[in-house]
Amino acid sequence: MAFIQRFIEKMPKAELHLHIEGTLEPEMMLALARRNNVKLPYQTIEDVKAAYRFSCLQDFLDVYYLGMSVLLTRQDFYDLTLAYLEKMARQNVIHVEIFFDPQGHTSRGVSFDTVLSGITDALDQAKCDLKISSRLIMCFLRHLPEDEAFETLSSACKCKDHIYGVGLDSSENGHPPSKFQRVFDQARKEGFITVAHAGEEGPPEYIRQALDLLHVQRIDHGNRILEDADLVHRVAKTGMAMTICPLSNLRLNVVDDMKKHPLRQMLNAGLCPTINSDDPSYFGGYMTENYLAVQTALDLDLDEIKQLGRNSFTGSFLSTRDKQSALQRFDDFCQKFS
Ligand code: ADE
Ligand code: ZN
């Protein structure tokens, strides 16, 4: 294996854009369906995988919401989360910032507490046993109405110790950030940091709204920023991180060829892109696979890979002290491995 590929595998990394429900592997989906007596339109692993052909974000979301219907108990959420964290330990991921979609569960009669306790049980265990630190970010489903987002926020307010921030995901087009301005105002008053998916399929205007109306501290995806030079300049000046998800972009037709992925343009424009997996079970790869896919397609050099690795820590929500020590560990690795 080439030096740069071994470097990517061994490099300490942080993942900043990961939907925990998107880590549900077909094997676990079928096993949980059996365990919980949930009917799925799939009989075999091959049936499940055959459904993973998407022409756009909405195609994927339909399959994603169906898949998560097998998650019912605290144990299910624990098993799901721990399986992801164990994989990340093997990929030298040392910090994760995880999204979860409570409305995808409460709408099916699963309580907010069941979801949150299962996930946090696994995060606590991973902190001790796998030495992986974490932050949890609760997303509002943007295709649902504002009042349901407010209800979800009030559940989160009872669990502030476990939830660091709020985000915005699901169907982007037709659901601009402005729809959730009041919810995000309230969330910030309650002390949550804010992020939002913007510019994945939606226009640069949605990125501008995420900045100006939701006061996000990080942009999730943001690919379409490159259509607006003023916005690029503005975001580059702040140093704000963007969570880029190469395999997701390919599988959802945000890019039609990995060789045309805008990652290098983002780096060259002085933006702060990071590499992430989004929904790895559905898109064909976790962190290492995302780095390798984009490195190969764009022929990224070692300095570019190091920049992306560093960005994953500078763009994280670690405390200043923990960020410094993670960056020190990263720099030590770079020095030793070279
Ligand atoms: N939910 C899970 N993955 C998503 C994505 N890539 N975009 C929007 N919502 C999502
Ligand atoms: Zn996402």
Side-chain angles (χ1 to χ4, degrees):
M1 185 186 288
F3 175 81
I4 197 157
Q5 291 166 356
R6 274 184 289 124
F7 187 92
I8 286 170
E9 282 186 0
K10 301 276 183 244
M11 176 173 85
K13 299 174 270 291
E15 167 133 82
L16 308 181
H17 186 144
L18 180 279
H19 302 264
I20 196 62
E21 296 90 346
T23 68
L24 181 61
E25 290 287 342
E27 291 78 4
M28 188 181 282
M29 189 190 293
L30 294 181
L32 291 182
R34 270 195 302 275
R35 179 157 107 186
N36 292 331
N37 245 324
V38 175
K39 283 245 165 317
L40 286 176
Y42 319 118
Q43 302 301 322
T44 64
I45 307 276
E46 289 66 42
D47 292 344
V48 181
K49 288 186 177 162
Y52 292 4
R53 261 188 233 130
F54 316 116
S55 64
C56 61
L57 175 59
Q58 192 59 50
D59 277 0
F60 155 70
L61 290 169
D62 294 341
V63 175
Y64 168 80
Y65 294 124
L66 179 68
M68 70 172 78
S69 69
V70 303
L71 297 164
L72 293 184
T73 67
R74 178 172 181 164
Q75 183 73 42
D76 299 339
F77 286 94
Y78 169 84
D79 290 347
L80 176 75
T81 307
L82 195 65
Y84 162 70
L85 293 163
E86 285 173 340
K87 283 195 193 84
M88 291 308 90
R90 292 195 289 276
Q91 296 200 347
N92 298 304
V93 173
I94 61 171
H95 177 69
V96 295
E97 301 193 352
I98 295 183
F99 297 128
F100 72 117
D101 282 334
Q103 290 163 287
H105 312 299
T106 52
S107 62
R108 303 180 286 109
V110 179
S111 79
F112 189 94
D113 286 352
T114 297
V115 178
L116 185 61
S117 57
I119 295 172
T120 54
D121 286 347
L123 295 178
D124 291 347
Q125 188 174 331
K127 177 101 188 121
C128 290
D129 297 352
L130 305 172
K131 310 293 174 231
I132 296 178
S133 56
S134 57
R135 300 274 192 233
L136 199 50
I137 300 174
M138 180 186 83
C139 284
F140 302 110
L141 297 183
R142 69 202 304 161
H143 68 278
L144 296 178
E146 183 196 36
D147 60 339
E148 293 182 26
F150 268 117
E151 272 171 41
T152 308
L153 178 59
S154 78
S155 299
C157 287
K158 296 181 200 124
C159 315
K160 283 188 186 167
D161 287 351
H162 296 293
I163 301 173
Y164 192 75
V166 300
L168 189 62
D169 67 0
S170 190
S171 322
E172 186 177 12
N173 277 322
H175 301 285
S178 56
K179 178 176 166 186
F180 294 94
Q181 181 173 7
R182 289 184 295 197
V183 179
F184 273 62
D185 280 346
Q186 185 64 31
R188 281 184 292 107
K189 270 195 210 123
E190 295 285 354
F192 296 104
I193 64 91
T194 64
V195 297
H197 285 53
E200 180 183 17
E201 286 188 342
E205 170 58 18
Y206 284 17
I207 301 176
R208 195 169 269 113
Q209 287 187 12
L211 295 168
D212 293 336
L213 307 182
L214 307 188
H215 302 279
V216 295
Q217 296 186 31
R218 203 157 68 202
I219 298 163
D220 294 318
H221 295 294
N223 294 47
R224 291 189 61 188
I225 196 171
L226 292 170
E227 295 169 26
D228 185 329
D230 288 343
L231 197 53
V232 168
H233 186 65
R234 173 180 170 189
V235 173
K237 230 169 55 183
T238 65
M240 181 181 290
M242 299 173 63
T243 59
I244 305 302
C245 307
L247 287 171
S248 164
N249 293 159
L250 186 66
R251 298 292 284 267
L252 300 186
N253 275 321
V254 170
V255 296
D256 59 19
D257 181 341
M258 195 65 95
K259 288 191 162 59
K260 295 191 206 153
H261 197 285
L263 182 72
R264 179 175 275 122
Q265 282 139 268
M266 291 172 167
L267 284 166
N268 291 343
L271 293 166
C272 181
T274 60
I275 299 293
N276 307 276
S277 71
D278 207 5
D279 301 283
S281 156
Y282 291 90
F283 301 145
Y286 288 77
M287 282 291 278
T288 296
E289 291 81 12
N290 270 276
Y291 271 96
L292 291 176
V294 81
Q295 187 280 323
T296 307
L298 301 181
D299 196 23
L300 297 176
D301 66 22
L302 191 59
D303 283 342
E304 288 169 315
I305 294 298
K306 284 181 185 169
Q307 185 66 57
L308 292 166
R310 259 193 147 259
N311 289 353
S312 78
F313 294 108
T314 56
S316 74
F317 295 132
L318 282 165
S319 68
T320 307
R321 214 192 57 191
D322 290 346
K323 202 179 274 194
Q324 271 166 359
S325 76
L327 283 166
Q328 187 63 54
R329 181 167 165 189
F330 180 82
D331 290 341
D332 289 348
F333 167 84
C334 292
Q335 220 179 13
K336 284 207 192 99
F337 206 85
S338 309

